[in-house]
Amino acid sequence: MIATPRTAPPRRHRERLARLILGSALLLALAAPTLAGASTPPATAPQEASSSADATPLTTSPNDRRDYRLLTLDNGLTVLLVSDAEADKAAASMNIDVGSSHDPEDLAGLAHFLEHMLFLGTDAYPAADAYQSFINQHGGSHNAFTASQDTNYFFDIEPDALSGALDRFSQFFIAPRFNADKLESERNVVHSEYQARLRDDGRRENDALDQVLNPDNPTTGFSVGSRATLTLPDDAETPLRERVIDFFRAHYGANVMHLALVAPQPLDELEALVRSRFAAIPDRGLSRSRVEAPLVRPGSLPLALEVTSLRDERQLRFTFPVPDPEPFYATKPASYIANLLGHEGEGSLLEQLRQAGLADGLSAGVGRGDGTHALFTVGISLTPKGARQIPQIQASLFAAIEQIRAQGLDPWRYQEQARLADQEFRFQQHGAPQHDATRLAMNLAHYPSRDAQYAPYRMDGFDAARIEDYLAALTPDNLLRVYRAPEVEGEAASPWFDAPYRVTQAPDWANARALGGLSLPAPNPYIAKDLSLGDGQDAAPKRLLTTPAAELWHQGHTAFDTPKVEWRFSLQHPAAAANARDAALTRLLAGWLNDSLNEALYPARLAGHQFNAYAHARGMTLAFSGWRDRQPRLIERVLTQLTEGEITADSVARVRHQLERDWGNAPEAALYQQANRALGEALLRPQWPATALLEAIGDLDAEALRDYRDTFLAALHLEAMAVGDLSAETARTTGESVIATLTPTLEAGAVPDLEPLAISSTLPALHPHSTRQDSLVLRYLQGQARTLDEQARLAVLGQLISTPFYTRLRTEQQLGYIVSASYMPLLEAPGLALLVQSPDADSETIGGRIAAFLDEFDQTLAALDDATLAPYRQAVHDRLLERDTSLGQLANRQWQALARDDSGFDHRERLAERVSTLTPAALRDAWGELREAPAADITFDPGDSPSDLLALTAELTPLPAVN
């Protein structure tokens, strides 16, 4: 299992809690947008997928070329099979209708603990790493998460190995061993996972929130588990292992399980694989439990909860208890309201708050759902000024709600939302097989089976009465207001995450005066009309235009059956990161461009047109994604703003505050993330640490940014690429227009490259700037040169070392929850990263354990033969050649290739060819060189002073490009 959180909130897979309801990057539903279907017959009606005789027809997109089959096995297991002939991975996900809300009172975290235990051997495959080793050996990945109402297990693997993976996976639910000798070690791992999250402000806020919600609602308990909660008294009548087994038998039954399988094999073959392996799961006559106790105690509202944050940020949330909207998924009344409250265009609540200098972000949606009850939440990211004007912000929110009641119940608004959802459903791009399998398994658990694909998009009609019911709950008397900020002084501490908090009742809190200027959105002018599909298909990008100062590349691609286009424009400037001040100014310029267009382009984002400007070491990239129709209008609008838009003091101050907040909060990030960032800052140039950027941005204002924009635009080199359903002629026309607007003058050689540095023997251990309380070691073994041979050898070594490192240091030695070993190149410089984060062992101990493991791995490689190596070699080869599962993924891959000067766009093919020829002797040679070469150590123990990374790495030289 990879080191990622397992306690994922289930609502993010169903109803979003995001700033947008359509087209946002903050989707909480596993299926792309959450609004669905149409209130009037769509342009192309959804179709019913073919199925076997015992299956319910599945509603699918008319452009979906995959084959589907819904089944219910004799034991009651619900199964959805997806045959995707183009898939180069097979994936499965099993969702069980049980989660942390089912924990017994005396064993908080038991559902999560059980999830961990299922990975540690079955009667058919007793070895603790039998499943993990098989998955890794065949190029796959795996994980699981425990949520409030659900537990989900998932994996992907090479298609030829699917049968063996299902053999092992199915046994989790048939005959797990619950090995007595693993109870203590896995309890320690769960405790480490809990300890690793202690300083996460989101978890701290939820822990405090649970203290004011209804304790009789089972979703308000401690869900992760710890040594304390998973330890029974010595005189307990039933020992822990028996309690785990009892919980498994009480809650794991075929009737409450939902399996989704996505693979290239035909449906009949997939059905045979499933029936022969999962029919033995017991039918225990179970059903999804219903939560009766409300989330909020009757009569307890209104309340104000204030929580101390560790990060320097101020978050305000207005939460209202409402019925869980899941039963109304076909009409989405709560989403309709959230769409209007979360709107960011002209006249929106967020626009007025931004103009007043009170806020820089807003989200609206439903969360904390238990199937019966939920919380409708409007979350607002405050500026320091906004933190002093909370009553006015609250009054403005209720003014916006009242405006929806009075003017917002318009069928045309619903129909517009439904039309956008219908477009997304018709041209749905399926994600990676593992993502799809997990999404579908969870949808099977929460929606009627036939709507497993369609539910997040379905909108059958405008239900004004139901919308009014939800609006009726959004009142001051029904409000639980949560404010999280560093200046809050608590009167109590939350029990599990030690977050100081205080609770007050304030009956006069809504008496402030609301901001003026609120209005509801106008009809969206960016909705695409021409959705016809082209037929252009290029194997790789081709150069359309070239001048001394600009290049334009184009790849016609219609294989995703969507009339969308991805554009990338790299505006490169020689001094974009020459020093910390210029690097800060480049980020400020990109941030200003995004911020200044927020209201104007919000309707475009809702309509499926995305734009983002981001800074990098060579300048700034403008990224566009969306429907081909009306995209040129968006590109023109952005370029006009970049070149002519007014740079106002308010906008610059807002963006500077966001950057300062992000950089200032860097020490509060997850420790393993800080270590990876420190490694990049140490071994890549030019690269500037957050501390240097924070110092540099302090005196930058609108005048400084205006001067920098002039300087930046006056000396540019331009690289551009278009990928998607777009003709070469149209791409050329757009590219020529952009070149004419930006007038680049520099040749490519005028802009310095980002370079990886070689580790020297004198490099000391480096400490990240962190406030975390765990210890960590990240040992980085660097290849000798930036060559294909070296990349191939280290990539296969990374595949070989991953599982044994994880098994030895995490499962057996229980050093911590976050343990990983993998191939991690820095640009084209190959390397292996070995990482352990521990709540108990110090960095010296961790370093010693890593060193001992490396000595053991010497012997593993010494005994390696070709038969043992073959599947690992094949796994790396196949992963390199994995297909792109979306147009955006394809465009990003080609764009990154161009940035690496891979103008043939065949680097991965050439690397895969080298991988295929590797011998055990070649790997032993590479390993010997790695062991003799100096390594970089990123270490941390609580209280360590941060290293001056720039000073300590100042003498490092670039890693050679050839041996």
Side-chain angles (χ1 to χ4, degrees), residues 888-962:
Q889 185 181 26
L890 169 65
N892 286 336
R893 179 170 63 81
Q894 305 293 42
W895 186 238
Q896 291 164 11
L898 189 63
R900 295 194 303 266
D901 293 326
D902 176 23
S903 58
F905 301 94
D906 62 349
H907 175 269
R908 64 174 190 162
E909 287 79 9
R910 291 185 288 119
L911 181 56
E913 183 179 354
R914 301 293 179 94
V915 165
S916 296
T917 64
L918 284 175
T919 64
L923 292 185
R924 281 190 282 270
D925 289 344
W927 183 251
E929 292 169 358
L930 283 176
R931 296 282 273 144
E932 293 177 4
D937 275 345
I938 310 294
T939 69
F940 182 77
D941 292 301
D944 279 353
S945 298
S947 298
D948 185 340
L949 297 177
L950 297 180
L952 292 174
T953 58
E955 301 303 318
L956 299 185
T957 58
L959 187 71
V962 296

Side-chain angles (χ1 to χ4, degrees), residues 639-653:
L639 291 177
T640 299
Q641 182 70 5
L642 174 62
T643 56
E644 303 175 13
E646 181 185 4
I647 297 178
T648 66
D650 287 347
S651 181
V652 171

Side-chain angles (χ1 to χ4, degrees), residues 873-885:
R873 187 172 55 207
Q874 189 66 39
V876 174
H877 173 276
D878 291 349
R879 187 173 64 245
L880 285 168
L881 300 183
E882 283 180 8
R883 67 166 182 160
D884 301 295
T885 58

Side-chain angles (χ1 to χ4, degrees), residues 694-778:
L694 189 61
E695 181 179 357
I697 202 173
D699 62 348
L700 300 181
D701 56 14
E703 183 178 358
L705 188 60
R706 293 185 200 109
D707 291 342
Y708 183 73
R709 177 175 66 174
D710 293 343
T711 301
F712 183 85
L713 294 177
L716 288 180
H717 177 77
L718 176 66
E719 289 185 355
M721 180 181 287
V723 179
D725 189 1
L726 185 72
S727 70
E729 293 75 18
T730 304
R732 182 189 298 272
T733 298
T734 300
E736 289 174 340
S737 175
V738 172
I739 291 172
T741 300
L742 294 177
T743 61
T745 58
L746 296 182
E747 296 186 2
V751 183
D753 289 328
L754 187 63
E755 286 191 307
L757 304 179
I759 301 169
S760 75
S761 58
T762 59
L763 184 68
L766 305 174
H767 309 313
H769 185 194
S770 179
T771 58
R772 293 284 176 158
Q773 297 303 303
D774 282 7
S775 293
L776 172 140
V777 172
L778 168 58

